[in-house]
Amino acid sequence: MTTRDTNRLSRLKAETRPSLPAMNFSSNLKLLCSEQPSVAEVCRKIGINRQQFNKYLAGQSLPSNKNINRISAFFGVDRMDLELPHREFAALHQTTAQNRLLATSKFGMQFDLDTADVEELERYCGVYRTYSKVPYTHQEVLIGVCLVKRIGNRFISKYIERQAGAQALNQPIQTVKMFGAVCREGGFIHILDRYAVTGTNSSTGYSLTMLHPSRHTPIHLLVGVTLSLAGDIGGAPYSTKIVYEKLADDISVREIIRASGRYGGGDPTIPEDVRRLIDNKMANDQPVLSHQPV
């Protein structure tokens, strides 16, 4: 084979190789189809030609806007989520499936919301910067990013945090991502999360956050407590006060994610009122973290 033939073959392989969005969509679509009786039945119910649908599954092409709307509506997922990296989509899908199970279980929290709850939770959609004390330290503050959005009559959250401390130790930066459900119960806002740490030391865990509702419009700060059980610390639970700061709708999410991580307690990045609200200080004769007026 001549050099020209080799170069031509390389170009042909590159042209036929699925693009990254198509590969993500393909993997995510395969996961959704694996939960159905058959691909043929999916095609019949959606109204898409089986031959064309096979190209989506193989990553050979992406659907048109019309077809992607049909697919997302059939599976009950957000069309933007279908192009997420497969690991992220799988975690989000698992959380959504857990939420459906909780909603149908008499022992679960009520995630099927009535009209009043939907209208109230609509106020809380948007982007938040979160502040809490780092476990097992006295002064460090953990800053993360949380996005709350509505899908149908359900509300979900996505939390992202870059562990910048790993960079200082010349280690790959670890990223914590949590996908969860948001509901309103007993006068509080509840966020139930499942999370995964990616990087050198991967782990999973669960988190439950309870926030006082805001009486202000627009919303500025939400104050509450979060309880977490993480696999990377031997299953030991921890609880800490937490503050959610609502940000402008047009803010660059990518930039605030880059700024997430650990900060010193006196860092000017942390507002003074937030620093006071997340204080976990306990008296010498105090056996547990107790409520204090905010």
Side-chain angles (χ1 to χ4, degrees):
M1 182 179 293
T2 66
T3 302
R4 179 179 298 178
D5 292 335
T6 302
N7 291 339
R8 181 180 299 172
L9 181 60
S10 298
R11 285 197 302 272
L12 287 173
K13 287 182 177 179
E15 291 171 357
T16 56
R17 187 181 300 122
S19 64
L20 184 58
M23 290 174 63
N24 290 337
F25 186 88
S26 168
S27 299
N28 298 338
L29 186 59
K30 287 176 182 176
L31 173 61
L32 294 173
C33 288
S34 68
E35 300 171 349
Q36 300 296 319
S38 69
V39 172
E41 183 172 333
V42 171
C43 293
R44 184 172 61 256
K45 289 183 176 180
I46 296 178
I48 297 179
N49 178 273
R50 173 65 183 272
Q51 185 176 3
Q52 184 63 42
F53 197 83
N54 285 341
K55 291 182 179 180
Y56 305 153
L57 289 172
Q60 296 174 357
S61 65
L62 286 169
S64 63
N65 284 333
K66 180 180 179 180
N67 282 347
I68 200 170
N69 285 337
R70 288 179 175 180
I71 292 171
S72 59
F74 174 78
F75 289 109
V77 298
D78 189 289
R79 57 173 295 169
M80 299 298 292
D81 292 339
L82 285 169
E83 293 187 18
L84 286 172
H86 182 61
R87 185 171 181 176
E88 288 188 32
F89 180 83
L92 176 60
H93 183 64
Q94 181 177 9
T95 299
T96 303
Q98 290 171 341
N99 295 345
R100 291 196 185 104
L101 180 61
L102 285 171
T104 57
S105 170
K106 63 181 180 180
F107 301 106
M109 294 175 62
Q110 184 57 261
F111 287 96
D112 274 330
L113 307 173
D114 58 30
T115 302
D117 285 335
V118 170
E119 291 177 354
E120 173 64 16
L121 286 177
E122 187 76 49
R123 300 177 55 226
Y124 296 92
C125 289
V127 182
Y128 295 83
R129 182 184 284 117
T130 69
Y131 304 86
S132 61
K133 286 294 185 70
V134 177
Y136 312 123
T137 68
H138 294 289
Q139 298 297 331
E140 286 189 327
V141 175
L142 183 63
I143 296 181
V145 180
C146 183
L147 293 81
V148 176
K149 67 179 181 178
R150 175 181 175 180
I151 299 180
N153 282 342
R154 297 177 185 273
F155 293 81
I156 66 170
S157 67
K158 180 179 181 180
Y159 174 90
I160 305 172
E161 164 213 321
R162 285 161 57 91
Q163 295 185 347
Q167 191 174 27
L169 298 174
N170 296 318
Q171 298 176 2
I173 294 178
Q174 293 184 331
T175 301
V176 176
K177 295 183 180 180
M178 301 198 293
F179 298 96
V182 184
C183 73
R184 181 170 173 257
E185 181 73 22
F188 294 92
I189 307 299
H190 303 259
I191 303 177
L192 177 60
D193 288 303
R194 178 184 184 276
Y195 66 91
V197 179
T198 60
T200 306
N201 300 314
S202 60
S203 65
T204 58
Y206 293 88
S207 174
L208 174 63
T209 300
M210 296 178 60
L211 301 168
H212 290 279
S214 174
R215 300 181 179 87
H216 302 285
T217 302
I219 294 171
H220 176 42
L221 298 179
L222 299 176
V223 182
V225 65
T226 185
L227 171 67
S228 182
L229 183 63
D232 60 333
I233 52 174
Y238 76 90
S239 180
T240 181
K241 296 176 183 177
I242 192 166
V243 168
Y244 279 55
E245 177 189 19
K246 199 167 192 299
L247 306 177
D249 292 335
D250 59 352
I251 196 165
S252 171
V253 177
R254 182 173 298 180
E255 290 301 319
I256 61 171
I257 290 175
R258 287 176 180 170
S260 66
R262 293 187 177 191
Y263 287 80
D267 194 288
T269 305
I270 306 163
E272 180 60 36
D273 54 346
V274 169
R275 191 178 296 115
R276 175 177 59 84
L277 291 171
I278 61 175
D279 188 7
N280 290 323
K281 188 176 294 184
M282 297 169 58
N284 292 333
D285 60 347
Q286 187 178 342
V288 295
L289 179 65
S290 64
H291 170 76
Q292 295 176 357
V294 297

